[in-house]
């Protein structure tokens, strides 16, 4: 019973982390770090001058195609099952 509970907890934690990452919570922070590096790095400044590239939008497609909700639902169902089984 304990191992099922820990598996359910692991599924819920992984699902929650993926929901946060899929929602784009850290996109603004990563963009800020990239801009800071571009402005402080001499090599990046030289490359920008040579290529005359003003803005290159990055497309994050890796997490957009994930189906996270079945992972969360299965973890929640297993969690509820172990909760009821522990009471009985």
């Amino acid at each position: 019973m304990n191992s099922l509970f820990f598996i359910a907890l692991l599924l819920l934690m992984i699902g929650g982390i993926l929901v946060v990452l899929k929602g784009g919570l850290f996109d603004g922070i990563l963009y800020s770090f990239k801009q800071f590096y571009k402005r402080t790095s001499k090599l990046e400044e030289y490359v920008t001058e040579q290529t005359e590239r003003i803005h290159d939008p990055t497309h994050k497609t890796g997490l957009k195609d994930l189906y996270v909700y079945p992972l969360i639902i299965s973890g929640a169902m297993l969690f509820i099952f172990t909760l009821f089984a522990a009471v009985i």
Side-chain angles (χ1 to χ4, degrees):
M1 196 58 53
N2 289 335
S3 61
L4 285 178
F5 175 76
F6 285 124
I7 291 171
L9 190 60
L10 182 68
L11 288 174
L12 285 173
M13 287 173 52
I14 291 172
I17 289 170
L18 288 176
V19 165
V20 168
L21 291 176
K22 186 178 177 181
L25 179 69
F26 298 109
D27 289 344
I29 296 169
L30 291 176
Y31 178 76
S32 297
F33 277 120
K34 287 179 186 177
Q35 293 300 318
F36 177 76
Y37 178 72
K38 283 182 182 180
R39 295 187 195 284
T40 59
S41 174
K42 296 292 182 185
L43 178 63
E44 188 66 34
E45 183 179 332
Y46 176 73
V47 170
T48 304
E49 287 176 1
Q50 294 299 322
T51 59
E52 298 177 5
R53 185 171 30 166
I54 297 171
H55 181 65
D56 185 20
T58 58
H59 300 320
K60 188 174 88 171
T61 60
L63 294 175
K64 297 291 183 192
D65 298 333
L66 282 177
Y67 295 109
V68 179
Y69 295 109
L71 185 68
I72 293 175
I73 291 171
S74 62
M77 289 175 61
L78 189 59
F79 178 77
I80 292 171
F81 171 73
T82 57
L83 188 67
F84 284 135
V87 171
I88 294 175

